[in-house]
Amino acid sequence: MAKANPNYSLLQGSYLFAEIARRVKEFTEANPDAAKELIRLGIGDVTQPLAPAVVEAMHAAVDEMARAATFRGYGPDYGYDFLVNAIREFDYGTRGIDLAYDEVFISDGSKCDVGNFQELFSDDCVVAITDPVYPVYVDTNAMAGRAGRLNDSGMWDQLIYLPCHEENGFVPSLPAVPVDIIYLCYPNNPTGTTLTYEQLKVWVDYAKENDAVILYDAAYRAYITQPGIPRSIYEVEGADEVAVEFCSFSKTAGFTGTRCAYTVVPHKITVAGAQGERLELNALWKRRQSTKFNGVSYPVQRGATAIYTPEGQKQTETTVAYYMQNARVIGEGLRAQGLTVYGGVDAPYIWLKAPQGMDSWAFFDLLLNEARIVGTPGAGFGPSGEGYFRLTAFNTRENTLKATERFARIG
């Protein structure tokens, strides 16, 4: 008899965004006319098209695939050299960070890599997560059996939670007990907050002292506007000994539907083997990827490489600025209504306190029914997210302005 992985039965009824989709579907079916007015500021999908330089490069690559002389089949397991070298030069070399060629792995999305990377670690590793947190970090470890069981307070009894809230300025404290794996995401999803060099160095030093590994999600680093905020954890001394970095083209260049990202795994990071020997995480990830992943398509990697051309950089920077202006519009509009708002300065997310002590899902329903706005309840990101709400800046300017007006109408 085939048996299911028992850890799946411990998961909550549905993934956060699946629950949002369910509620929106019910609303749409019950209110077909009102549904036409919905403005979606929930799931972080982009609305602006791919940059012209990217489209041109992808067209040229497709034409190559149509000719026998230039056709390509399976690509390199870890990415084509033209994209890997562009990443090394522009995303790291310009910041004084020297990466080896085989420390960069091209993939079809940071969500996939962040979710899959936990496979490299022993089932008994102790995992620390900031709270609130991107649900994928929690759910994939729960699927692997590291999270334990979900208790009545909405917390997994084997995870170490690092609360982030108003009182501590959304800066997590070091864990009170030793941990092996630490998930950090900055600029943060969902709170939109950041860490300075000094604050991030605290975590690097902790990981070195405790033989821990940091899994650092930097998917939103292109949105950093303030000085003193690192765009890569490797700008912090010693981070290449303890930190894996996940980066994506989804939100920086509109690749949510095109799918391309990369993960950096430095050779210096080692973990303990079964006999106490030290093993390179880089080698383990190579083995995993070559076994379970066939790479990203040639046209998509050509398109991603075009981001690093002068034209591509200028065009993607314009798109990022467009979304950040949306964030400013939302933030200013909400503050004008007397709401407490965070984020939206170095990230495309706005994190607000639900008014009048409302819980997150009640506020979700209020916005959906009264303002025709879809957002994301903070409780879906963890216990410390209760009472908060996330909005994204990824819609069009027209819809962003409309949403702000609707907020004003419902007071």
Side-chain angles (χ1 to χ4, degrees), residues 168-169 171-172 194-204 229:
N168 62 10
V171 177
T194 55
L195 294 183
T196 64
Y197 290 96
E198 294 74 19
Q199 290 168 332
L200 195 51
K201 189 176 188 305
V202 170
W203 288 97
V204 171
I229 306 297

Side-chain angles (χ1 to χ4, degrees), residues 136-202:
V136 172
Y137 311 155
V138 174
D139 289 357
T140 52
N141 277 285
M143 292 171 180
R146 292 189 198 89
R149 292 181 175 275
L150 197 64
N151 60 32
D152 293 339
S153 62
M155 302 173 73
W156 294 86
D157 59 15
Q158 290 182 19
L159 294 181
I160 304 302
Y161 286 80
L162 309 171
C164 299
H165 40 64
E166 282 181 303
E167 290 74 14
N168 62 10
F170 299 98
V171 177
S173 298
L174 293 174
V177 298
V179 300
D180 306 306
I181 304 167
I182 303 161
Y183 285 86
L184 295 177
C185 173
Y186 290 97
N188 186 256
N189 177 16
T191 67
T193 56
T194 55
L195 294 183
T196 64
Y197 290 96
E198 294 74 19
Q199 290 168 332
L200 195 51
K201 189 176 188 305
V202 170

Side-chain angles (χ1 to χ4, degrees), residues 103-280:
E103 291 179 324
V104 179
F105 298 80
I106 308 302
S107 76
D108 59 353
S110 285
K111 178 179 179 179
C112 302
D113 283 1
V114 169
N116 292 329
F117 209 88
Q118 52 79 27
E119 294 179 17
L120 306 189
F121 300 104
S122 170
D123 291 349
D124 59 359
C125 281
V126 179
V127 177
I129 58 165
T130 55
D131 174 36
V133 71
Y134 183 42
V136 172
Y137 311 155
V138 174
D139 289 357
T140 52
N141 277 285
M143 292 171 180
R146 292 189 198 89
R149 292 181 175 275
L150 197 64
N151 60 32
D152 293 339
S153 62
M155 302 173 73
W156 294 86
D157 59 15
Q158 290 182 19
L159 294 181
I160 304 302
Y161 286 80
L162 309 171
C164 299
H165 40 64
E166 282 181 303
E167 290 74 14
N168 62 10
F170 299 98
V171 177
S173 298
L174 293 174
V177 298
V179 300
D180 306 306
I181 304 167
I182 303 161
Y183 285 86
L184 295 177
C185 173
Y186 290 97
N188 186 256
N189 177 16
T191 67
T193 56
T194 55
L195 294 183
T196 64
Y197 290 96
E198 294 74 19
Q199 290 168 332
L200 195 51
K201 189 176 188 305
V202 170
W203 288 97
V204 171
D205 291 345
Y206 173 90
K208 292 174 69 174
E209 292 167 6
N210 292 273
D211 199 14
V213 174
I214 297 172
L215 300 183
Y216 191 75
D217 190 344
Y220 305 98
R221 67 185 187 186
Y223 291 86
I224 293 173
T225 60
Q226 298 183 104
I229 306 297
R231 291 200 172 197
S232 168
I233 195 170
Y234 303 125
E235 294 177 53
V236 177
E237 184 180 0
D240 60 347
E241 301 173 36
V242 295
V244 175
E245 185 163 271
F246 303 90
C247 302
S248 174
F249 298 115
S250 286
K251 308 301 173 27
T252 58
F255 273 55
T256 53
T258 309
R259 311 307 303 149
C260 195
Y262 64 89
T263 294
V264 178
V265 190
H267 286 291
K268 291 181 182 179
I269 308 176
T270 63
V271 292
Q275 307 304 318
E277 74 278 21
R278 302 301 297 187
L279 303 174
E280 275 195 18

Side-chain angles (χ1 to χ4, degrees), residues 319-332 393 397 400:
T319 300
V320 167
Y322 178 93
Y323 292 132
M324 288 309 296
Q325 178 60 25
N326 283 352
R328 283 189 286 274
V329 168
I330 295 171
E332 290 170 1
R397 182 66 43 73
T400 299

